Amino acid sequence: MCLAIPGKVVKIDGDTAVVDYESETRKASVSLVDDLKVGDFVIVNAGFVMDKVPEEQALKSLEAWKNAGKND
Amino acid sequence: MIETPETVFFKYAYPCSDELLRLKTISPAQKDLLDYFFDQKKAPKRDLLEVCFPKAIERLKRFADGDDYWTVENIRSYFLVYHNKVIDNREGSYATCSRQIRDLCKVRCGEIHGIENINGNIVYVVRYNQFKETRVSGRYLPDAKVNDRISVHWRLAIEKL
């Protein structure tokens, strides 16, 4: 049940990052990860940025999710 | 929170509810209900948990092997032992997700070696073994102390062990 769609950090304000998911944006605390930058891809869960995701891996995951949606 | 099978199941499963909503596995109304119960430090009834977390329930049943699967012992053992084996065996949706996600999904047990307060967020520095240390949120378990042994799911401290 745990899968996680990556999002892209579009803004960081203090402890809070704004993460873009194309269809929506979400705010998440950055207190668990170091050296986060705008443009990084991240996994967010329960209001926290859980980890950074390498860009290539994130784009691959997003593509897979889009394709899965087309097959619904 | 008085410990019941529902409370134990809910504290381990709730961290996945954000993702279930994003995946449209649960509806916004169901997510609101789960959030409400979590904020109230209560657990929903079994029927709601069974509807919202069907895959976990299915595995919980399998783990119970014919016995009553709604017991505190079965649920805790499932999350502390069997859950990670399911991930390592790449069952179901775990077959296609990255190693990074699989690692985050695993339930880990470790010892608190430090506590930080980052802008009001309690963060525990948890050591899982001699070499690996990570920072986890104390949002759901704010009263743990240094040297406490805790379980962690999705970098969230779940319960003292």
Side-chain angles (χ1 to χ4, degrees):
Chain A
M1 64 183 171
C2 314
L3 282 171
I5 303 167
K8 191 173 188 176
V9 176
V10 292
K11 186 181 175 186
I12 300 174
D13 185 7
D15 176 55
T16 304
V18 178
V19 181
D20 179 43
Y21 287 95
E22 291 191 359
S23 58
E24 61 174 345
T25 58
R26 290 191 166 211
K27 289 184 178 177
S29 167
V30 300
S31 57
L32 301 181
V33 293
D34 293 320
D35 307 322
L36 197 66
K37 299 185 296 289
V38 169
D40 283 343
F41 283 91
V42 293
I43 297 297
V44 172
N45 198 21
F48 290 89
V49 174
M50 294 281 162
D51 219 344
K52 290 193 262 189
V53 184
E55 183 170 356
E56 191 184 343
Q57 186 185 314
L59 294 174
K60 208 170 143 186
S61 296
L62 290 169
E63 191 61 31
W65 281 113
K66 279 178 194 166
N67 290 336
K70 281 175 197 167
N71 294 333
D72 282 347
Chain B
M1 196 189 284
I2 297 166
E3 187 169 273
T4 65
E6 290 83 356
T7 61
V8 177
F9 179 87
F10 191 45
K11 64 185 165 186
Y12 279 97
Y14 176 77
C16 293
S17 62
D18 273 9
E19 201 55 30
L20 295 179
L21 176 65
R22 272 202 290 268
L23 295 170
K24 298 181 179 164
T25 306
I26 59 174
S27 68
Q30 287 170 325
K31 173 62 174 155
D32 286 347
L33 262 177
L34 296 176
D35 289 345
Y36 168 80
F37 280 106
F38 200 86
D39 290 344
Q40 295 294 313
K41 299 191 189 308
K42 292 177 182 170
K45 289 186 178 171
R46 285 180 197 188
D47 54 357
L48 180 62
L49 294 172
E50 297 224 4
V51 166
C52 292
F53 303 99
K55 288 183 181 173
I57 296 291
E58 185 188 305
R59 289 167 183 148
L60 201 60
K61 279 184 194 171
R62 203 194 318 159
F63 183 61
D65 198 21
D67 292 333
D68 179 10
Y69 58 96
W70 274 109
T71 66
V72 167
E73 296 73 23
N74 186 60
I75 293 166
R76 184 167 280 122
S77 297
Y78 164 77
F79 279 108
L80 294 178
V81 180
Y82 189 64
H83 180 68
N84 291 359
K85 287 183 183 169
V86 167
I87 295 170
D88 284 335
N89 289 339
R90 312 283 296 267
E91 287 188 28
S93 53
Y94 297 114
T96 51
C97 62
S98 68
R99 181 177 179 168
Q100 181 181 30
I101 299 300
R102 294 198 306 274
D103 280 346
L104 283 167
C105 289
K106 285 184 178 178
V107 174
R108 298 184 186 280
C109 301
E111 195 172 281
I112 297 176
H113 277 253
I115 301 175
E116 300 168 10
N117 186 323
I118 301 176
N119 298 322
N121 289 313
I122 296 169
V123 174
Y124 299 131
V125 180
V126 175
R127 197 170 287 172
Y128 293 128
N129 55 43
Q130 201 178 345
F131 305 105
K132 189 169 182 183
E133 205 172 77
T134 194
R135 288 155 72 201
V136 309
S137 167
R139 179 178 166 197
Y140 303 149
L141 183 69
D143 60 346
K145 296 179 177 58
V146 169
N147 293 330
D148 278 349
R149 192 163 166 73
I150 62 168
S151 58
V152 175
H153 191 201
W154 274 98
R155 293 186 80 169
L156 304 168
I158 301 296
E159 64 176 345
K160 291 185 211 175
L161 300 172

